[in-house]
Amino acid sequence: MRCSNDFDTEQFQQALETLTADIRALASGCQGNTLAILALLRSLEAIHQEIRDTLFLNSLPDNRQDLYALLRDIETAGGWPHIPRMRLRSLLVNLASEIANADKSDESISSPASSQLPPAEP
């Protein structure tokens, strides 16, 4: 494992928090714009894959003690980083249920039976 002795954990953590806040602000600015949020998610996934496949793999331990330390850190600090993709089937199921709910709302508004209901009591 290649790790610099002059690595400043506090400075790194601050930079990471700033970057995270910037990404959240960018995402919030895209609220309601599905294509923009999708582009952001694709970019994050691409960066994740690039860092994992290059920098991370190149920095993996080359002896048992360092490998054990890395695995122990992964176990205690929250597991393996992973960006799961939303399954297309899940997206379609959610979309279908929203369409069904919208259809039910439209039917209750336009249904003559709904006009025959007594007024709601306060």
Side-chain angles (χ1 to χ4, degrees):
M1 176 171 23
R2 296 177 199 100
C3 186
S4 174
N5 290 337
D6 60 350
F7 176 73
D8 185 354
T9 305
E10 187 175 320
Q11 184 179 7
F12 175 78
Q13 201 60 37
Q14 264 184 332
L16 193 57
E17 287 172 12
T18 300
L19 181 59
T20 302
D22 289 346
I23 292 169
R24 282 192 177 119
L26 182 62
S28 292
C30 297
Q31 190 170 4
N33 185 339
T34 306
L35 293 177
I37 294 171
L38 185 59
L40 175 61
L41 290 171
R42 285 177 177 152
S43 181
L44 289 171
E45 182 181 24
I47 291 168
H48 174 265
Q49 193 170 14
E50 177 185 331
I51 292 170
R52 182 196 63 214
D53 292 348
T54 58
L55 301 171
F56 182 72
L57 285 179
N58 292 334
S59 69
L60 284 174
D62 53 6
N63 64 55
R64 277 194 229 172
Q65 291 82 13
D66 289 343
L67 177 60
Y68 175 77
L70 174 65
L71 293 175
R72 188 169 166 197
D73 181 72
I74 289 171
E75 186 177 299
T76 59
W80 190 259
H82 175 69
I83 299 179
R85 284 186 173 189
M86 178 182 248
R87 302 273 184 231
L88 186 55
R89 176 163 281 156
S90 298
L91 178 65
L92 293 174
V93 166
N94 291 338
L95 183 60
S97 67
E98 286 185 27
I99 290 171
N101 289 339
D103 288 346
K104 287 178 184 175
S105 297
D106 291 345
E107 286 175 8
S108 66
I109 292 172
S110 63
S111 171
S114 65
S115 62
Q116 296 173 355
L117 295 175
E121 293 183 19

